[in-house]
Amino acid sequence: MPADVAIVVLAAGKGTRLKSERAKVLHEAGGLPLIAHVLRATTQLTRRGRGPVAGVWVVVGHQAEAVRAVAGAFGARTVLQRPQLGTGHAVAQAVAALPRSLARLLVLPGDAPLVRAESLGALIETQSDSGTAVALLTARFENPYGYGRIVRAASGEVEAIIEQSALRPEQAGLREVNSGIYCFHRAKLLPLLAQLGRDNVHREYYLTDVIALLRRAGEKVSAHMTAEPDEILGVNTPAELARVDTLLRRRKAEALMGCGVTLYQPETLAIGPDVAVAPDTIIERGVELRGATRIGRRCRIGAFSILHNAVLADNVTVKAHCLVLNSRLGEGVVVGPFAHLRDGADIRAGARIGNYVEVKKSVVREGAKAQHLTYLGDATVGRKTNIGAGTITCNYDGVNKHPTTIGDGVFIGSGTELVAPVKVGRGAYVAAGSTITDNVPPDTLAIARGRQVNKSGWARTRREKLAVAKARKEEPPVTVGLAAPPRPAARKRAARSRPRRQARRR
Ligand code: UD1
Ligand code: CA
């Protein structure tokens, strides 16, 4: 079969009903912008090779640059629509930009993120098999409000699509809706695009009007109804955005559970569509798994942890409340609770990263441990090395970042500062509380702190002095004979002279 289908994704609109500055298709649901979900489905069709799809074109307009960036990430080309005069106008811009060799157009909206590649494939097949001028993807909705309705003749043939605002009272009960997804025969569509008018409430060129025009020209229209109506849900309002987000997350959660992953309270999880999790792994409540995160077998991800582009081998434990970003955790690693791993932290097999430890751009080799309150930045930590509580690599001098290299089997005492660039040789010891500014050779003990001075009896003497001073303050004022109490002015003078007298005594 020749690859004669151009996929055209309409994504130029602002999305006025979202009442947001951001273009509608860039709003996120299920961990990705709406249009990214659509492009995932379309690229699944192109990737299959040998299929009928030749390429994907995205019609951009509102916030064109930002939408272009997403399209580019999926290898799609873009066509600019400016101004945006409706879905019919958008398709006309795309058709003008497509190679002539492409005889068919699969048109779909960029705001319907639940659509599956299988349904798009089925629609293309419906058009091929029937040879009609257009095949429509439709669905039956309990509540069809807001969608264009499919109007069928008594014979069952599709006659027209009528938008919500143009429905006659007797059409209000129509439940079959237009998905906005169509497979057109290009040569039959082209002359009709030129005939579209703007005689509607929005003064726009409606692509949907093409259906009645085709029928009037004696063409046939076929339709394929989705078994799963949710698949064509579009996003126009904030409430609809929330609904598709819930459905996308549920879809991913169900797919993972179907593969033997245990999810606690799956409705609280946010797992992106590109995340992969192996069987027998347990994911606790409130966890977010983003980007291209990959998790091995028999892992456990603790409650409220967030992993973005994290790669976990088998048997890894991430305890509650951790952040693992662009980092790798080897076999059997234990991390957290409350750990922060980022920017290429590479924690090798059997290593342990404990609570309130931050690791940035560092390699922690096999079996090493940093269990409490530590910062490791631009560091290499050798095998089975122990990093004591509160250790800090001082990697930044205010201008540049510098490396810290710690060998195998090293013991770094608690509260050590390692002022980079610095190296600690294999098997060395660093005494607790040291500030290490020079390299430590292998098997050496480094102590870098002020020497301790013990003053014998000092504390007891101090306590005694304090007790005497306190007793003196509590004595009642001495009034001698019948002497009158001092006048206010005299009292003030007495108060002023007191410190001077004390100073003299010292
Ligand atoms: C459209 C259909 C409706 C269908 C519904 C399904 C029309 C007239 N109506 O309505 O029958 O039930 O989709 O979701 O087509 N866009 C452009 N350029 C424009 C206008 C829109 O690229 O000038 C893009 C939008 O960014 C959006 C898509 O086309 O991604 C659909 O536009 P939208 O305004 O959401 O159409 P609906 O009113 O939902
Ligand atoms: Ca829409």
Side-chain angles (χ1 to χ4, degrees):
M1 205 204 304
D4 68 340
V5 176
I7 294 186
V8 175
V9 181
L10 307 185
K14 180 168 192 274
T16 314
R17 289 162 281 183
L18 276 185
K19 299 189 170 67
S20 155
E21 274 298 304
R22 188 149 41 127
K24 176 166 65 179
V25 297
L26 296 176
H27 279 261
E28 285 185 17
L32 289 180
L34 296 177
I35 188 161
H37 289 283
V38 175
L39 292 172
R40 277 184 93 246
T42 60
T43 44
Q44 274 173 37
L45 284 181
T46 47
R47 228 185 285 137
R48 276 181 204 156
R50 293 205 318 274
V53 177
V56 181
W57 283 261
V58 179
V59 181
V60 300
H62 192 74
Q63 295 187 339
E65 280 319 305
V67 179
R68 230 175 231 146
V70 181
F74 286 88
R77 278 154 281 195
T78 56
V79 178
L80 188 65
Q81 182 201 16
R82 205 164 262 169
Q84 294 94 41
L85 302 177
T87 47
H89 180 253
V91 170
Q93 312 309 302
V95 171
L98 294 176
R100 284 183 197 285
S101 59
L102 303 181
R104 295 189 287 168
L105 259 67
L106 179 75
V107 174
L108 65 163
D111 67 352
L114 287 145
V115 69
R116 292 176 198 264
E118 294 72 32
S119 302
L120 299 178
L123 184 65
I124 294 171
E125 244 165 64
T126 302
Q127 198 283 330
S128 314
D129 295 349
S130 62
T132 49
V134 62
L136 311 177
L137 188 67
T138 71
R140 195 173 296 281
F141 277 3
E142 276 310 302
N143 175 14
Y145 186 86
Y147 287 82
R149 301 312 150 72
I150 306 296
V151 179
R152 290 180 184 260
S155 63
E157 273 199 74
V158 176
E159 288 294 323
I161 299 173
I162 310 289
E163 291 303 294
Q164 175 72 42
S165 55
L167 285 175
R168 292 199 305 272
E170 69 271 22
Q171 292 170 324
L174 293 174
R175 292 265 169 81
E176 190 182 2
V177 303
N178 171 31
S179 65
I181 303 174
Y182 327 75
C183 183
F184 287 106
H185 190 287
R186 179 185 186 165
K188 295 190 169 151
L189 170 68
L190 203 55
L192 302 184
L193 286 176
Q195 290 178 31
L196 290 177
R198 298 164 81 177
D199 184 17
N200 54 59
V201 287
H202 293 112
R203 319 285 319 143
E204 285 186 353
Y205 298 101
Y206 285 172
L207 182 61
T208 43
D209 288 346
V210 159
I211 305 306
L213 293 176
L214 281 170
R215 293 295 288 137
R216 219 169 292 158
E219 294 293 344
K220 285 215 150 87
V221 173
S222 51
H224 173 81
M225 199 187 290
T226 55
E228 180 51 70
D230 281 351
E231 205 183 314
I232 68 146
L233 283 175
V235 171
N236 295 320
T237 65
E240 286 167 345
L241 184 65
R243 181 163 178 222
V244 301
D245 177 55
T246 303
L247 292 173
L248 284 164
R249 294 202 275 148
R250 184 182 300 162
R251 183 189 272 184
K252 182 68 185 185
E254 280 170 4
L256 290 177
M257 289 189 285
C259 295
V261 179
T262 300
L263 305 182
Y264 293 159
Q265 300 182 18
E267 68 282 2
T268 67
L269 305 176
I271 305 180
D274 297 322
V275 171
V277 186
D280 290 315
T281 280
I282 297 172
I283 298 176
E284 296 179 6
R285 70 182 184 284
V287 166
E288 288 187 27
L289 305 176
R290 302 288 191 199
T293 292
R294 300 255 169 293
I295 299 179
R297 287 171 175 267
R298 296 175 300 280
C299 294
R300 187 174 187 119
I301 312 299
F304 306 108
S305 286
I306 299 174
L307 282 63
H308 191 125
N309 294 335
V311 178
L312 277 58
D314 297 338
N315 301 306
V316 172
T317 302
V318 174
K319 295 183 183 174
H321 297 281
C322 290
L323 267 178
V324 183
L325 315 173
N326 302 306
S327 296
R328 306 179 77 85
L329 308 183
E331 158 86 33
V333 160
V334 180
V335 161
F338 298 99
H340 184 188
L341 278 54
R342 62 187 177 95
D343 294 355
D346 182 358
I347 315 299
R348 305 276 170 87
R352 273 162 203 264
I353 301 296
N355 49 192
Y356 305 105
V357 174
E358 178 178 352
V359 184
K360 186 220 78 167
K361 227 186 248 178
S362 295
V363 181
V364 177
R365 291 200 202 282
E366 291 76 1
K369 291 179 183 176
Q371 298 270 52
H372 330 268
L373 302 151
T374 285
Y375 173 58
L376 298 172
D378 305 296
T380 304
V381 176
R383 289 176 192 83
K384 299 209 163 155
T385 281
N386 188 81
I387 306 288
T391 294
I392 292 173
T393 55
C394 310
N395 59 327
Y396 186 50
D397 61 12
V399 182
N400 293 308
K401 302 278 169 70
H402 301 284
T404 300
T405 309
I406 304 171
D408 295 346
V410 168
F411 180 92
I412 305 282
S414 296
T416 295
E417 284 154 4
L418 297 153
V419 182
V422 72
K423 288 183 183 169
V424 181
R426 59 159 49 223
Y429 266 66
V430 171
S434 290
T435 298
I436 299 296
T437 54
D438 297 327
N439 291 345
V440 180
D443 299 319
T444 303
L445 168 65
I447 309 175
R449 60 184 183 216
R451 209 171 249 289
Q452 184 167 325
V453 178
N454 285 349
K455 296 192 176 179
S456 164
W458 182 93
R460 196 189 321 113
T461 310
R462 176 178 153 80
R463 273 193 300 275
E464 285 165 4
K465 274 189 195 161
L466 284 175
V468 169
K470 195 174 171 213
R472 203 172 284 154
K473 222 192 262 166
E474 281 168 3
E475 270 169 25
V478 185
T479 43
V480 181
L482 296 169
R487 280 168 299 141
R491 231 185 280 151
K492 239 187 241 166
R493 227 182 298 125
R496 248 187 279 127
S497 62
R498 215 172 291 135
R500 242 179 285 149
R501 236 182 294 145
Q502 279 169 0
R504 243 179 280 130
R505 223 184 292 147
R506 250 190 253 144

